[in-house]
Amino acid sequence: EPEVTQTPSHQVTQMGQEVILRCVPISNHLYFYWYRQILGQKVEFLVSFYNNEISEKSEIFDDQFSVERPDGSNFTLKIRSTKLEDSAMYFCASTAGGYNEQFFGPGTRLTVL
Amino acid sequence: GIQVEQSPPDLILQEGANSTLRCNFSDSVNNLQWFHQNPWGQLINLFYIPSGTKQNGRLSATTVATERYSLLYISSSQTTDSGVYFCAGELQGAQKLVFGQGTRLTINP
């Protein structure tokens, strides 16, 4: 069964460093998303991406964040200068079409020291 | 934006018991999903259920879209059912799921 994959599973970084989180969505899906979950809290939407551009972003998704689909399979989230408060689980999701079921990857746990 | 409220926040049961988890949403949704977050933090898709009723083994879900709520039923609970259950809704015109705060279910042996 097709699934969304994410790498790495856990990343530890120093405050101020750049990190890139990688995702491979399900191959025939067209809509891609990043969500995050701070420990003990609910899952929050960050950004949606369709047709090679951002379609919606939250207030959390400021200038420190960027997304890219560098080739036909990968979808990346870059945080330019990490802060302590960026420590969270980051989930990638994809779907075949609007309002269809979103499928989530296993997550990347980011720890900023 | 849409508000998603889940109840109860915590539920502790004995193995074999049945449970009902509720999700209320403040506006009409075109997508409603239930997830189970396992101890490793992974979100496991349980149901995609914008309306109607679905069943998968011991789990079933019902969404009454006109009344803006969804219910998740777990029958004959097992210890492996423990974890946090999230519902999430997607408004028409929005390109995102909005999650509730979750229900933490603990099944004791």
Side-chain angles (χ1 to χ4, degrees):
Chain A
E1 186 173 324
E3 58 184 18
V4 177
T5 60
Q6 291 185 241
T7 53
S9 56
H10 191 185
Q11 178 145 7
V12 181
T13 190
Q14 295 291 324
M15 191 169 55
Q17 295 296 304
E18 175 183 286
V19 295
I20 298 176
L21 310 184
R22 291 182 167 81
C23 169
V24 179
I26 294 173
S27 62
N28 63 340
H29 283 185
L30 302 175
Y31 296 77
F32 315 111
Y33 308 83
W34 285 100
Y35 295 82
R36 80 170 187 189
Q37 183 184 31
I38 294 171
L39 186 64
Q41 298 186 19
K42 67 178 182 180
V43 179
E44 301 173 288
F45 167 78
L46 289 178
V47 66
S48 58
F49 192 85
Y50 169 71
N51 201 23
N52 280 322
E53 60 183 24
I54 290 173
S55 44
E56 186 166 348
K57 60 182 181 180
S58 72
E59 291 176 353
I60 303 167
F61 194 88
D62 61 21
D63 292 345
Q64 292 299 311
F65 291 88
S66 62
V67 290
E68 193 179 27
R69 188 154 163 83
D71 52 42
S73 59
N74 290 283
F75 180 51
T76 62
L77 174 69
K78 181 193 291 186
I79 309 175
R80 284 184 237 288
S81 178
T82 50
K83 304 171 190 167
L84 295 176
E85 54 265 36
D86 293 328
S87 294
M89 180 78 99
Y90 289 80
F91 293 102
C92 173
S94 71
T95 185
Y99 314 127
N100 283 13
E101 184 175 8
Q102 291 188 24
F103 293 86
F104 281 68
T108 292
R109 186 171 299 282
L110 177 64
T111 302
V112 182
L113 302 176
Chain B
I2 184 177
Q3 303 294 317
V4 180
E5 294 183 2
Q6 293 187 242
S7 59
D10 292 279
L11 187 57
I12 301 173
L13 297 171
Q14 291 298 120
E15 200 167 22
N18 301 328
S19 57
T20 301
L21 283 58
R22 187 177 179 104
C23 175
N24 291 332
F25 33 97
S26 60
D27 209 336
S28 299
V29 294
N30 283 30
N31 175 7
L32 193 288
Q33 294 185 229
W34 282 96
F35 299 88
H36 176 214
Q37 187 162 43
N38 65 21
W40 297 271
Q42 296 174 338
L43 288 170
I44 309 300
N45 285 43
L46 296 178
F47 292 101
Y48 165 71
I49 188 163
S51 64
T53 297
K54 290 186 178 179
Q55 179 153 10
N56 184 3
R58 296 181 296 103
L59 274 62
S60 64
T62 294
T63 296
V64 183
T66 53
E67 298 188 21
R68 300 178 185 172
Y69 73 88
S70 184
L71 302 173
L72 177 68
Y73 305 96
I74 305 173
S75 65
S76 305
S77 300
Q78 301 175 359
T79 55
T80 51
D81 294 330
S82 295
V84 182
Y85 289 80
F86 289 101
C87 68
E90 185 173 13
L91 271 181
Q92 184 169 7
Q95 303 246 345
K96 61 185 178 186
L97 283 173
V98 176
F99 282 73
Q101 294 281 4
T103 292
R104 180 173 298 279
L105 178 64
T106 303
I107 305 297
N108 291 321

